[in-house]
Amino acid sequence: MSKQKKFILQEKDLPTQWYNIQADMVNKPLPPIHPATKQPLGWEDLAQIFPAECCKQELDTEHAWIDIPEAVLEKYKYYRSTPLVRAYALEEALGTPAHIYFKNESVNPLGSHKINSALPQCYYAKQEGTTNVTTETGAGQWGAALSYAAKIFGLEAAVYQVKITMQQKPYRSLIMRTFGAAVTGSPSMSTRAGKDIITKDPTHPGSLGTAISEAVELATTTPNCKYTLGSVLNHVALHQSIIGLEAEKQMEMAGEYPDTVIACFGGGSNFGGIAFPFMRHNILDGKQTEFIAAEPSSCPKLTRGKFRYDFGDEAGYTPLLPMYTLGHEFKPANIHAGGLRYHGAGMIVSQLIKDGLMHGVDIPQLESFEAGVLFSRTEGIIPAPESCHAIAATIREAKKCKETGEEKVILFNLSGHGLIDMPSYDSFLNGDLRNYELFEEELNAGLANVPETI
Ligand SMILES: *Cc1c(COP(=O)(O)O)cnc(C)c1O
């Protein structure tokens, strides 16, 4: 009997609801609070900048299942289901008895999982009478996904891209412009926040924090304009649950159930997406699956951060969020996995870590690229530098199985491909990359202005 390599759902079998883990959590995530009044925020407060429906989903701790709008399902069909693939060649290269599966979220027009949430966010914005959406982007995966989704639903998109990455990675801003978005290097002269920074430092390279400030300012000063975010928030993880819900059906087709589920971790959206539908069975049915979030050693909020109320952005414009954090002023090293260079973890994940339902592991930069290269040379897919962290964590687990002889079933999420990130592979193959060790003093400095209690 020939071995089946990949498992694909027919369109008629695609999930029609997202899964909201908040409803099943024994301890609910703490609420976001207003920085000045210290009062919990309601969805109406958040709706001043985000689409209202997303704000309701953000704070929904009641409904475990939320219908995917028909128009979003229609667009999901352009690229979903994504394949669940058994990584035979990687298993063989490692000589492991483990069964390794990956969910391939790189096979869509944008090359990463981000499109799964960009579509509903733009759909809801349009429904609510919004004409414009805005956001920030670092490496550009989120900006690219949003630009495409905005075009599909008839919205104008304005994306602030960190100036230095715009210069270093020109292709993603070209992708955004091809989809019709207006892309501005940040800091820019088009906002007060940007002007202030440029006046002080005309050669400022930009940062994600500054770009967020510019996008939020544009949303609050432009009529019918909403701000959107590609990670961290609860409603983004909700939309991403489509990944795990499909994977659950596909694992069933493969006749297996995962002992371990792994994803890389920036703000938690692709992790939550693949993990939560399986974690549901740990909470409700006593399953014992282990959940591992792989973060970079240079930005280790899960393994070395503190649980605090902290700002979501560098400038301190956002509500205070309950999160494992390195401090909003923490400056991560300039690693190539741009999508993982974020100081905090989402509210749901932060509570789940406190409750012992999952844990983080930290991966040094060189180990991540070694894993990515092995994966390329076995499975034939060049992974995004972010996704390399999930592969490295998977390889660690598979090697443990080799030692113990356990035939564990490991499932990881391949969050994106790396074809637009080839300069980072160039640096790795040339031996120009290094690891970044983080010292206790740097961790303490990041948290210096984040009070222990509010
Ligand atoms: C943005 C991104 C990430 C990190 O974001 P999460 O919200 O933690 O998933 C990981 N992988 C890829 C390919 C990304 O584009």
Side-chain angles (χ1 to χ4, degrees):
M1 201 179 75
S2 82
K3 298 185 291 185
Q4 191 162 346
K5 174 72 178 165
K6 55 191 186 308
F7 302 86
I8 294 171
L9 295 176
Q10 298 307 309
E11 283 179 16
K12 64 175 174 45
D13 298 322
L14 293 184
T16 56
Q17 294 181 309
W18 291 302
Y19 172 59
N20 174 24
I21 195 172
Q22 295 193 78
D24 290 330
M25 287 168 70
V26 177
N27 300 314
K28 307 297 179 197
L30 298 176
I33 61 173
H34 192 286
T37 64
K38 308 280 197 267
Q39 292 303 308
L41 292 168
W43 70 264
E44 300 91 339
D45 303 309
L46 302 173
Q48 290 174 11
I49 55 171
F50 295 103
E53 192 59 34
C54 295
C55 301
K56 291 180 192 165
Q57 293 172 348
E58 185 68 20
L59 301 179
D60 187 340
T61 54
E62 271 176 46
H63 306 96
W65 299 99
I66 293 177
D67 288 342
I68 303 173
E70 196 58 45
V72 173
L73 271 179
E74 252 347 278
K75 297 304 175 189
Y76 274 175
K77 283 184 190 163
Y78 281 55
Y79 64 96
R80 307 206 70 85
S81 67
T82 63
L84 175 82
V85 185
R86 173 91 183 260
Y88 289 113
L90 178 64
E91 288 171 17
E92 198 180 310
L94 294 169
T96 178
H99 296 188
I100 302 175
Y101 292 85
F102 64 94
K103 180 74 168 152
N104 190 352
E105 286 297 308
S106 80
V107 284
N108 71 64
L110 288 312
S112 86
H113 67 287
K114 296 264 181 4
I115 185 64
N116 298 329
S117 184
L119 288 169
Q121 291 194 46
C122 287
Y123 167 77
Y124 290 128
K126 183 69 179 181
Q127 288 293 300
E128 293 164 18
T130 299
T131 53
N132 294 60
V133 285
T134 182
T135 196
E136 75 292 327
T137 196
Q141 288 104 327
W142 171 243
L146 188 79
S147 302
Y148 165 71
K151 183 51 71 184
I152 287 190
F153 287 114
L155 299 161
E156 297 288 328
V159 181
Y160 288 94
Q161 184 172 24
V162 178
K163 209 178 259 174
I164 182 83
T165 45
M166 195 172 175
Q167 289 158 5
Q168 287 169 345
K169 304 189 176 187
Y171 289 120
R172 282 227 176 73
S173 62
L174 288 175
I175 292 172
M176 292 184 253
R177 285 172 50 211
T178 303
F179 284 120
V183 187
T184 309
S186 169
S188 77
M189 293 300 279
S190 69
T191 63
R192 256 192 74 166
K195 265 187 209 148
D196 284 351
I197 289 168
I198 292 177
T199 312
K200 273 189 225 141
D201 176 4
T203 62
H204 195 291
S207 72
L208 217 43
T210 307
I212 296 179
S213 307
E214 289 205 88
V216 171
E217 186 180 322
L218 185 75
T220 48
T221 54
T222 311
N224 294 319
C225 180
K226 291 288 179 192
Y227 171 71
T228 62
L229 198 58
S231 181
V232 183
L233 295 178
N234 302 342
H235 67 270
V236 185
L238 170 75
H239 304 153
Q240 294 296 352
S241 68
I242 188 81
I243 302 172
L245 292 167
E246 281 183 7
E248 202 185 331
K249 292 188 178 192
Q250 290 163 312
M251 289 298 303
E252 224 174 278
M253 289 164 78
E256 304 219 71
Y257 190 88
D259 297 301
T260 311
V261 176
I262 298 174
C264 67
F265 196 97
S269 77
N270 94 89
F271 173 83
I274 190 144
F276 294 168
F278 291 100
M279 201 178 284
R280 170 170 178 263
H281 298 294
N282 279 33
I283 298 173
L284 301 179
D285 315 323
K287 287 270 190 207
Q288 300 276 321
T289 300
E290 182 181 7
F291 297 92
I292 303 176
E295 61 182 6
S297 304
S298 55
C299 195
K301 60 254 181 185
L302 303 177
T303 52
R304 295 175 76 188
K306 293 274 189 309
F307 187 78
R308 301 256 171 102
Y309 264 103
D310 194 9
F311 289 107
D313 67 323
E314 209 172 315
Y317 278 28
T318 68
L320 286 170
L321 308 170
M323 46 163 57
Y324 273 90
T325 179
L326 297 165
H328 60 281
E329 290 171 344
F330 178 80
K331 300 245 183 310
N334 199 17
I335 55 165
H336 282 276
L340 308 186
R341 294 177 69 242
Y342 185 69
H343 67 274
M347 294 181 278
I348 294 176
V349 162
S350 293
Q351 187 62 47
L352 293 172
I353 288 195
K354 273 183 88 172
D355 292 344
L357 279 150
M358 57 171 282
H359 66 96
V361 292
D362 62 318
I363 308 283
Q365 176 157 260
L366 292 178
E367 184 180 341
S368 74
F369 276 98
E370 278 155 20
V373 168
L374 179 62
F375 188 73
S376 307
R377 292 177 184 178
T378 48
E379 295 296 323
I381 302 168
I382 298 178
E386 291 85 0
S387 315
C388 289
H389 291 72
I391 300 170
T394 299
I395 291 175
R396 283 188 191 177
E397 293 303 309
K399 283 182 173 166
K400 280 186 212 161
C401 290
K402 189 178 178 179
E403 279 167 28
T404 61
E406 280 174 291
E407 275 186 35
K408 277 194 182 171
V409 177
I410 304 174
L411 167 65
F412 79 86
N413 194 39
L414 184 72
S415 54
H417 69 66
L419 294 177
I420 316 260
D421 306 285
M422 291 319 289
S424 59
Y425 281 88
D426 185 36
S427 303
F428 174 70
L429 295 171
N430 290 336
D432 294 338
L433 287 192
R434 65 181 183 94
N435 290 330
Y436 295 89
E437 197 182 341
L438 248 191
F439 298 100
E440 219 43 50
E441 305 87 77
E442 294 168 88
L443 289 172
N444 295 338
L447 283 162
N449 291 322
V450 186
E452 269 175 58
T453 50
I454 50 167

